[in-house]
Amino acid sequence: FAYNISVFIKNMTDFYLQTFSCLALLSLSMGIYLLAKKTRIPFTVLLVAFGLVLGWIISHEPRFSFLLSFELGPEMLFYVFLPILLFESGYNMRIKDLMANKWSIGLLAIVSLIISALITSAIMYVVLTYIFDIQIPFIIYFLFGALISATDPVAVLALFKECNAPKRLTLIFEGESLFNDGTALAFFLVILGVVMEMSGYQGSHGANLLDHLFASHHGGIWIVFKGILSFLSMLLLGGLFGAIIGLLASKFVKKIKWAPLVEITISILLAHITFLLAEGISHFVVPLSWVIATTIAAVVFGSIGRKHLSPEIESTMHSIWDYMAFVTNAIIFLLLGIMIIKLWVHWNYLIIPVAMSIVAVMVARALSVYSVITPFNVLKMEEEIPKSWQHLLSWWSLRGALAIIMALLIPADLSFPGWQFPLSVQEFILGLTVGCVVFTLFIKALTITPLMKKLHIK
């Protein structure tokens, strides 16, 4: 009885601390948002900056360690926060706008991303192996290239709105950022499956998210050929499944115009149920992308279901999802700053790889954009994309929450044959990812307005 009482008290204490930690982070983010509006500094940049300060305070003053009680694990990021970010971005896009720019968005979201991942990994492998004598297998760099090549739609769109960028440029950037999230995750999971197969990874004791995600693929399915088929299946079937679910939700909304609160609930359920159902089908039946499915469901619901919403709800739905995205990003980017301080002990090992990764990602992004857009313009597949827009597309590729989520999906106990680096595979890739995300937020995000002026983009 005494033991049960002690366990109950401990659980209640943990719950209290986690709740208080979450509320404290939200309260702080509210003040940061007001400061961002006043100073015109991007909100996500200020969040990470304050997260760095918080991390430093926590490391020097244990009394504030309760702020770490709210743990941002892979499961919460993956199943709770990611569907919100995907649906919020997809809901505000229109099918007709996407179809009018389908070639530019498709080439940038798929072809450019794969090219960027290959170039990033090749540059890092050659330079770090033969110049700095850091012996890391190429497949690990390729894994990093897959997760870091996707641009972040939330950070991009927030800054584009502040800068009043041209409508079509904003749409292309938004479409690329939104759909290459799904491409990047599918590509990343295929490469991660290859790494796990090559390393003979069996998983740690107890339940693990990656054990669940890959449970149906043991026994050699992650060989390269089947990996490619799996990648294509995830993209195509994910899009088809998302379209079907989005249409069903739109038809259901059409029948219940008299229940505004139910309509809001349907949109929230649509985001998470689509994600979970797609994940379940991928696990038990056939591989399909949960990210692509959720994104397409959001686009279909935002284009078709929106027309059937009650008048009083249609005007507020955007604000509801905007707020949910605000809360999600506030927590993620604040904790990102704290994470950087927690990783600080490892930065003496990571400083050269991180610096090299930043250069490699920038070079790869530029080459992947120009190599895709140049033939696109020559073949006149759509309205021409000006050189000035290409320069902006090359430079302004921010990285954000999804890259962190994918890095955390790598099992902490994953080991690779011949691995001699002082940090684990997860710590190594997480360090590179955090370094690139911070660089894009603090350098690229703050240079967008001067660059647009210099390129005469109005």
Side-chain angles (χ1 to χ4, degrees), residues 6-66:
S6 65
V7 170
F8 174 77
I9 293 174
K10 181 183 183 302
N11 290 338
M12 288 301 295
T13 303
D14 291 342
F15 176 76
Y16 172 79
L17 286 175
Q18 289 172 10
T19 304
F20 190 69
S21 171
C22 183
L23 293 175
L25 292 174
L26 285 177
S27 301
L28 182 60
S29 66
M30 182 174 61
I32 296 171
Y33 181 79
L34 295 174
L35 180 62
K37 286 292 183 184
K38 200 164 188 175
T39 60
R40 299 186 66 82
I41 298 174
F43 179 48
T44 50
V45 174
L46 281 180
L47 283 171
V48 176
F50 273 83
L52 289 170
V53 174
L54 273 179
W56 185 86
I57 292 173
I58 292 169
S59 64
H60 288 79
E61 184 51 69
R63 284 180 294 182
F64 291 96
S65 60
F66 72 91

Side-chain angles (χ1 to χ4, degrees), residues 424-435:
S424 68
V425 173
Q426 188 204 55
E427 289 173 331
F428 176 72
I429 293 183
L430 185 60
L432 298 181
T433 305
V434 169

Side-chain angles (χ1 to χ4, degrees), residues 335-374:
L335 293 179
L336 172 61
I338 296 174
M339 183 191 300
I340 295 170
I341 298 298
K342 289 176 68 177
L343 288 170
W344 193 258
V345 66
H346 302 313
W347 284 114
N348 56 326
Y349 302 117
L350 289 170
I351 187 165
I352 292 177
V354 166
M356 195 61 244
S357 69
I358 291 171
V359 174
V361 169
M362 287 195 297
V363 172
R365 171 65 180 180
L367 292 175
S368 68
V369 168
Y370 295 128
S371 65
V372 165
I373 300 299
T374 299

Side-chain angles (χ1 to χ4, degrees), residues 76-91:
M76 181 174 289
L77 279 168
F78 205 69
Y79 291 115
V80 179
F81 288 159
L82 184 56
I84 292 174
L85 295 177
L86 293 171
F87 193 90
E88 191 272 337
S89 297
Y91 178 77

Side-chain angles (χ1 to χ4, degrees), residues 281-298:
I281 292 172
S282 181
H283 178 62
F284 292 108
V285 185
V286 62
L288 57 84
S289 171
W290 329 295
V291 175
I292 290 290
T294 306
T295 300
I296 295 296

Side-chain angles (χ1 to χ4, degrees), residues 142 158 226 256 267-268 369 396:
F142 198 29
K226 289 187 178 181
I256 54 165
S267 71
I268 296 172
V369 168
W396 206 39

